[in-house]
Amino acid sequence: MNNAIPYKIYLTEEQMPKAWYNLRADMKNKPAPLINPGTGQPVTFEDLKPVFCDELIKQELDETTPFIPIPDDIRSFYKMYRPSPLVRAYCLEEKLKTPAKIYYKFEGNNTSGSHKLNSAIAQAFYAKHQGLKGVTTETGAGQWGTALSMACGYLGLDCQVYMVKVSYEQKPFRREVMRTYGAKVTPSPSDTTDVGRKILAEFPGTTGSLGCAISEAVEAAVTQEGYRYVLGSVLNQVLLHQSVIGLETKAAMDLYGIKPDVIIGCAGGGSNLGGLIAPFMGEKLRGEADYQIIAVEPAACPSLTRGVYAYDFCDTGHVCPMAKMYTLGSGFIPAPNHAGGLRYHGMSTTLSQLYHDGLMEARAVDQISVFEAAEEFARVEGILPAPESSHAIRVALDEAIRCRETGEEKTILFGLTGTGYFDLVAYEKFHNGEMSDYIPTDEELQASFATLPKIG
Ligand SMILES: *Cc1c(COP(=O)(O)O)cnc(C)c1O
């Protein structure tokens, strides 16, 4: 039976999903609503209207509609680079001498090099549809900015990207890819916004953070006519668009009667993991099947494993609504020597609720062990993985090795979110033995928690 399963399973275009799946519809305990910091009340459509596109606000606030049709124009764009392959990691299994069966869903087959394009094209499409001139956003490691630039370049929308300064400096080539697609890229914090100037005055020499870049991008959107802000992770609408990953994976597995026992994904803001697990978690919530689901985060930015579940600001400048999530505090800035993305202080409200309800687990892994896993994977499976994705590889390897020891023939599925061609400075540090990791102390985290807003 196993030999009948090809190295790569591709769906046909006809088999690709025609609707996104909204996991919240099946959650008994819904994620807590976003709160307007001005009123202390759940945000309304009107509150969000100056910031986000209308259709995306509807998706953000919709927790009852299970399937939302994918507009034809977005589906056509998806066909340019999807379906993505579901790969049976035969070579890795052999190398590890494990009885486990390992599968990964590879989202790196597009120029942005990650899954982020799945939501970028959706968000840009709705902005265009509303007749807007352009969008603003932040980018950390650069994948989201690149994906959004591609989507905007395709649709002829203006794209303004605030890029976390440390990445802007470490990854100049990313910037050039974005400019190729027509985006304007500004290192953050910058002196182009009030909030940026304020942060610079308070923390001179800061290397920036995602939370800080978000504040700048939001300010830029609300102060320019015909602009809205878009975000590449964390929000429910992003998890919704990313459900295409999980829906394709499930459809491909169903073709061959495969059922994963363990599903693993890296978690920054939670979008790829939320997308990958969506249909599986749906079955779990409806009591139709059970899966072990593991979120993997960096030990340097451990929001699920060491954060608190509380209302917090989504950005450093406190201009965004507040979200109830596992958080390290909006002022938390991970050490600049942490190479990968996954640097956001909080976590998707949906994943936070699922984790809180015990429906998924989380593990934190250190940077060196992540790069060891990346290298081991690259040598047998060929793909040079992104550092973010390699967090998932680390835990997939750990699980497969454990199966070797126990003799269990588990089926392991993980999300391989992207490629690491723009992360070669980090690979270089790793190869030269110069990589270090900074894991925050309890005292540092307590100090950060003390700044959480006091909400019900
Ligand atoms: C952005 C990114 C992530 C993390 O973001 P999530 O929203 O948690 O998915 C993971 N891998 C890659 C390659 C990324 O670009």
Side-chain angles (χ1 to χ4, degrees), residues 136 158 160 162 184 219-228:
T136 70
D158 188 36
Q160 302 175 357
Y162 287 85
K184 181 176 150 216
E219 183 181 321
V222 299
T223 54
Q224 295 175 91
E225 174 83 34
Y227 282 76
R228 292 292 187 281

Side-chain angles (χ1 to χ4, degrees), residues 164 199 209-216 314-318 330 344-345:
V164 177
I199 292 167
S209 69
L210 264 187
C212 167
I214 293 173
S215 305
E216 288 207 272
C314 293
D315 62 316
T316 316
H318 301 179
S330 62
Y344 187 62
H345 67 272

